[in-house]
Structures are given as structure tokens and as C-alpha cells.
Amino acid sequence: MSLNITIFGGGGFIGRQVVQKLAKQGHTIRIATRRPDSVGFLRPLGNPGQVVPVQANIRDENSIINAIKGADAVINLVGILRENSSQNFFEIHEKAPGMIARLVAAEKVRKLIHLSAIGADLKSPTRYGKSKAKGEYNLKQEFPNATILRPSLVFGPDDEFFNKMHSLLKILPVAPIFFDSKKMPRIKFDGIFPIAHFEAGLTKFQPVYVGDVAKATVNSIVNNNSEGKLFELGGPKIYMYRELISIILQSAGIRKRLFPVPFFAINAGAAIIETIPEFFLHAFPIPPLSRDQIRMLRIDNIVGDGAYGFENLSISPSALESILPTYIKNHKKMRSL
């Protein structure tokens, strides 16, 4: 059965995959965005009139109402990893989900799917994690039957983490892995000489393929058992941060030594960079990490015990090793297309 579906954030990294899968199933898709001309490239994913960009601003109620009128389902994929002068966690992660949910309920839309993130927690030490948790709370207050999807670290062509790390590793003399300077290193001896071994890069991640997150989003629409539930989406394997760096190096054919760096050092560097006016940051070849993103690197990002997951949505997640080499090794070529 063909449905009318409105997507907020349909032009983003995950949104493009969702649009493609919905179009293949024959649904009519409205892509709600501030600049409809910026997502015109998605029209060819469907038949004429099937994929329709519409003007909407998540800060403006009237534009949201116009975008969701007559919809059978609404998907909210809007999110940011770092704040800037025009986008902040409060407006996008906290306030917008509640507003969208309230208006979706008022318009009697049957389904609401919301993309959050593993690590969403009101007690999180990161502003990102707290804002995601507050957004979930605001959403559920207005639309209790909403489905919430929390992916771990998402990978795929044009992803944020693996492509950024690949770019950094190409220019750095060593591959940095971070450690807590408060923890004493293990001492090993090379003959009579003591050598300090730091327990670095031990944060755990469960990378998940963008195509699988898109499948979960689409399956949530037709799966009535997903209503009101929260799903944590992780790939088939858990890795430590140092293992992810090694996989990137191997996939890209780069030979670099893993080098332990204390968190306080990278955090101090980020603090200095945050004092630089935003205009000058655009000159950086690679967007620098914020202090909040560095805090995120200290927190395990894996599926919780007993959580609903891919298996409840009839999905078998893809392995990182089978997909990462297909785009990391061709990073330069793909980015120039």
C-alpha cells in the first residue's frame, strides 16, 4: 500500500538512504526542508511527482503543519553533531522534536518515527547526549506512540567519523589514540629500561551501516509492533576505538604508528580552536573536533542489554569490514564527484 510520508532531514546522510528505500516501495515522499532547491537531486529517486521537496522550517509551526498535512507517517531525522552560530542543540535536538510531535498529533498522523542516538541520557556528561534525551522526552510527552531509533556510530559513504579520521590520518605523522591521564600506565621492562604502556583507545563502539539504519526507519513505518518502542541500533560487532583506527589505516593502505595522547591535551587544543571566529574555521581543511565531541569519545557507545534492536525489525546488520574499504580507499575520488 502506498503511503504519504513527510521526512524532516531527508537531504542528509541518513535521509538520502531513507528516501531511496521509500521511493522503491512506491510511497509518495515530501522532503521538508528550509531550502527545497537544495534537495532537488533526490527527485530522480522516484517517478515524476513521487519525491517532492517542500519548504519547512523546524522553528516555524505553520510551515511544519503545511508539510505534514495529509501524511500517513512523519519521520524526523534532523540532527547536528556540533553547534554553530546558526544551529544549536536546544533548538534542533530538544525543542523541535516536541513541536513536531505536538503538530503531528494535532493533524492525526498515524505514525511518527524519530531518530535519536545511543548515548541519549539526561545524565550524560555531553551536551549532545543530554539534548538528545530531552528531545526524546519532549517527543513522547506529545506523541506517546512515537518510535525512537538510537543508532550507534553510523558509517557509510560521506559519513562524519570514518571519513574525517581518514583525512586526519593521511596528514598526521602518527595515529593518535586517546587515554585518561588519571590512570597510571603499566610498566614493562626492555632489559633494565622501564617503558610505560598507556591503556589508550579503549572506548567501545558498535558501528552501524547507514543502509541498515535506513531499513530500520522504513520497517518501523509498516511494523505496528514498533509503536511506542525505543530501538538501539548497533552493528554485529563491538570495537575499541584503537581497533577502529587500525581498521581505517588498513582499509586505506596507510602505515602509521598508534600513538597515545592524553585527553587533556586534545581537549586543550579544542578549547583554543573554539575561541577562533567561526568565519576562519571554514579555512580548515578538516572540521576540528569540539570539546563536546571529545567528551563523546570517552563514553562507550554500544547497544544496552535487553534493548530492542535490529532483530525486532527483521534486519541482519552489515559488517564494518565488508563496507568500509569500498569507500575509504576511494575517498578522494568519491568526494570530487
Side-chain angles (χ1 to χ4, degrees), residues 52-66:
V52 183
V54 296
Q55 201 285 324
N57 187 326
I58 57 172
R59 296 178 177 90
D60 179 67
E61 290 195 13
N62 289 331
S63 68
I64 294 173
I65 292 170
N66 290 335

Side-chain angles (χ1 to χ4, degrees), residues 34-337:
R34 286 183 300 169
R35 293 180 49 235
D37 58 300
S38 68
V39 294
F41 68 94
L42 293 174
R43 288 180 184 270
L45 293 178
N47 297 320
Q50 187 182 2
V51 179
V52 183
V54 296
Q55 201 285 324
N57 187 326
I58 57 172
R59 296 178 177 90
D60 179 67
E61 290 195 13
N62 289 331
S63 68
I64 294 173
I65 292 170
N66 290 335
I68 66 176
K69 270 193 179 299
D72 298 300
V74 171
I75 302 170
N76 178 35
L77 304 175
V78 179
I80 57 174
L81 288 172
R82 59 182 295 153
E83 298 175 290
N84 56 42
S85 59
S86 60
Q87 295 182 314
N88 60 72
F89 292 149
F90 173 73
E91 291 284 347
I92 293 173
H93 290 173
E94 296 183 33
K95 186 176 177 183
M99 182 187 298
I100 291 172
R102 174 168 54 82
L103 299 175
V104 164
E107 290 295 319
K108 294 182 170 49
V109 178
R110 190 170 63 88
K111 288 264 190 173
L112 175 59
I113 316 297
H114 175 69
L115 189 73
S116 184
I118 288 180
D121 188 340
L122 293 174
K123 296 180 180 179
S124 172
T126 71
R127 295 174 62 194
Y128 176 88
K130 283 181 182 176
S131 68
K132 282 290 191 180
K134 289 177 182 177
E136 289 181 4
Y137 176 81
N138 293 337
L139 177 97
K140 295 289 276 187
Q141 289 295 106
E142 302 290 349
F143 200 106
N145 279 340
T147 300
I148 296 175
L149 305 177
R150 287 182 178 176
S152 182
L153 187 64
V154 183
F155 67 90
D158 295 319
D159 68 47
E160 174 78 11
F161 177 82
F162 289 95
N163 282 313
K164 177 183 282 189
M165 288 298 124
H166 176 222
S167 297
L168 282 170
L169 291 169
K170 285 192 299 183
I171 62 177
L172 292 175
V174 294
I177 51 173
F178 309 114
F179 69 91
D180 187 346
S181 58
K182 294 179 181 177
K183 294 182 179 179
M184 296 297 293
R186 290 183 292 110
I187 303 298
K188 292 186 176 181
F189 285 87
D190 183 1
I192 62 172
F193 299 102
I195 300 174
H197 287 265
F198 294 93
E199 298 292 332
L202 302 185
T203 307
K204 296 175 182 177
F205 296 88
Q206 198 168 347
V208 56
Y209 177 49
V210 62
D212 294 332
V213 176
K215 282 181 189 176
T217 306
V218 172
N219 288 7
S220 295
I221 295 173
V222 296
N223 186 339
N224 289 329
N225 291 328
S226 70
E227 292 184 4
K229 291 187 175 67
L230 187 154
F231 296 83
E232 295 197 344
L233 308 178
K237 187 176 175 182
I238 295 172
Y239 306 81
M240 290 187 292
Y241 180 81
R242 64 185 301 147
E243 293 175 314
L244 293 181
I245 297 301
S246 295
I247 290 171
I248 295 171
L249 291 171
Q250 183 179 1
S251 298
I254 300 172
R255 297 186 68 180
K256 295 280 173 76
R257 186 166 67 92
L258 298 182
F259 187 80
V261 177
F263 272 112
F264 77 79
I266 189 69
N267 199 59
I272 293 171
I273 289 174
E274 286 177 6
T275 65
I276 299 173
E278 191 176 316
F279 172 80
F280 294 105
L281 289 179
H282 293 299
F284 280 58
I286 304 162
L289 291 172
S290 68
R291 281 178 291 176
D292 202 60
Q293 287 175 303
I294 292 166
R295 291 188 200 101
M296 290 163 64
L297 291 177
R298 305 183 72 156
I299 305 169
D300 289 347
N301 195 272
I302 60 177
V303 172
D305 293 338
Y308 288 104
F310 277 124
E311 66 277 9
N312 302 105
L313 295 169
S314 304
I315 297 169
S316 179
S318 307
L320 175 69
E321 290 89 346
S322 66
I323 294 174
L324 186 67
T326 66
Y327 67 92
I328 283 294
K329 67 181 179 182
N330 295 318
H331 179 77
K332 249 187 204 179
K333 181 178 177 182
M334 291 182 68
R335 299 295 287 182
S336 63
L337 291 177

